[in-house]
Amino acid sequence: MNDLALLLTPEGRALLDEVRDTDPARELAVATRLRREHPAELVSAALGQARLRQRAAVKFGAEDAGRMFFTPNGVEQSTRASVAAYRARRLAESGVTSVADLCCGIGGDAIALARAGIRVLAVDRDPATAAAARANAEALGLAGLIEVREADVTEVDTAGYDAVFVDPARRGGRGRIFDPEAYSPPLSWAVSAARRAPHTAALKIAPGIPHEAVPEDAEAEWISDGGDVKEAVLWFGTEPGAVRATLLPGPRTLLSRGLPDPEVRPPGRYLYEPDGAVIRAHLVAEVAEELDGGLLDATIAYVTADELRPTPYATAYEITDHLPFNVKKLKALLREREVGNLTVKKRGSAVEPEELRRKVKPQGPHAATVFLTRVAGAPAMLIGHPALAGAVRAAPPPA
């Protein structure tokens, strides 16, 4: 809080502008120079904030991050702007006009909600975090829609708001917390708060939550952005029991149809790697049906098919070789194909990609992808390339 108070002064703001593009490698030299004209505490605060803003640009974009204020935990735990904007649109399109944002952090979700035209009560019990959220609302011109309150969320009356959004803390002193009841506040409390919401509620949770822990009256949504799974959300007041995977940008949403597990079949010409949100949502069967495909192994989320069918829910690879796992054979094949750019993917294999690269020592002008996996329970290697990337094989596929 002391750092933030210093940075909000005219001198602090001017210094922030001056150091915003400081190269971390030159930070010591810059600090030494600036301390001749400014208090050492202010210089340290400005350089620290510049560092946080540079890290936050990945989540918030350079323009917003360059005006916002962050705490170290806030950068790590805040929602990516694209995901927050998607969730805010869902709420706005459902008719929500006001939201109680509980455990608001530095205000990433509150900002997205306000930009969607929603009035927000943003609550966090940590003084420094609440101060950063307040400063961010002002910096981005959204103070008229965002009220920031420093308080224990379990003691806040949310009756005057259409919806509730809860983002419990999922990190402790020893890192990530995997038990939902060890969240702060616990998931059971967040679910109770959600059920009291007059219109809709959304609970942000870890994507690894067991499906059996999802309440029966909730909709469960897994969200990925650019192929990376970012979070899961439990929705109340929407479609109880629904399960979906949403891929950003887009959005593109795949809904569960309750299909049985796909059958295991021999490798076809194409291998499809489902998006992580699809896998987390247990919707591989829906993708396999769309592709008229099956599984390479009953326990592994690789889909194989004979035809190339573009889908947003999986990445397609054309397979040129299917071999039992054997490092010497792989090395010989790669040498014959002059493969120097080797991408190693694994699922169901104990071999580490970097270890394999060291052993096969790829060299040459061509590229290939090798999948270390199991085929009907047996360790196997499938070699190919992205099917839609226009790649040219170094040799024709085997007959």
Side-chain angles (χ1 to χ4, degrees), residues 261-281:
D261 291 339
E263 292 184 358
V264 175
R265 52 152 289 179
R269 183 173 180 180
Y270 297 98
L271 180 149
Y272 292 85
E273 183 180 25
D275 183 273
V278 170
I279 296 172
R280 293 281 194 176

Side-chain angles (χ1 to χ4, degrees), residues 207 211 220-225 227-231 243-248 252-257 262 272-291 295 301-303 311-315 347:
H211 279 234
E221 179 178 34
W222 279 261
I223 302 173
S224 68
D225 187 16
D228 295 328
V229 182
K230 294 302 177 185
E231 63 184 57
V243 176
R244 70 174 69 208
T246 296
L247 282 56
L248 302 176
R252 295 180 180 272
T253 295
L254 182 66
L255 277 167
S256 171
R257 299 194 298 279
Y272 292 85
E273 183 180 25
D275 183 273
V278 170
I279 296 172
R280 293 281 194 176
H282 295 180
L283 300 181
V284 174
E286 279 72 7
V287 171
E289 183 182 68
E290 177 183 319
L291 299 171
L295 296 181
Y302 281 144
V303 175
T311 172
Y313 304 114
T315 302
R347 192 163 287 160

